[in-house]
Amino acid sequence: MLEVEKELTARIHSFESFGALDGPGIRFVIFFQGCPLRCLYCHNPDSLCASGGRIMSLTELFGTVKKYRSFITSGGVTLS
């Protein structure tokens, strides 16, 4: 039987293109949707529900990050 590779996806809540709080330099921040941790002082409680957000393939996600590459050379990417 032929196995078909399935592209990986992620449920994304939002992006921040000019993040300065989540690490050194200017950072591109990816906020995921559906966090199971339920931290008492969560900074993004609207991202807790697993059914919300936008489903993106990893190819789409990396394409989005690459659009901002010239702005994040002194920082990086934060996954939150």
Side-chain angles (χ1 to χ4, degrees):
M1 180 179 230
L2 182 64
E3 230 179 276
V4 178
E5 279 192 44
K6 193 174 182 182
E7 185 168 14
L8 295 175
T9 59
R11 193 173 292 272
I12 304 300
H13 176 269
S14 59
F15 301 109
E16 185 176 330
S17 60
F18 201 79
L21 300 175
D22 298 305
I26 303 304
R27 309 187 64 75
F28 186 85
V29 185
I30 301 169
F31 294 99
F32 291 94
Q33 182 74 37
C35 180
L37 298 179
R38 306 299 188 259
C39 299
L40 184 59
Y41 298 104
C42 177
H43 288 269
N44 299 306
D46 54 327
S47 69
L48 296 176
C49 178
S51 63
R54 172 182 167 197
I55 296 175
M56 295 181 74
S57 71
L58 294 188
T59 302
E60 289 176 296
L61 193 55
F62 286 125
T64 302
V65 172
K66 284 169 59 175
K67 290 178 189 176
Y68 295 91
R69 186 166 57 189
S70 62
F71 296 104
I72 59 177
T73 54
S74 64
V77 177
T78 298
L79 308 174
S80 177

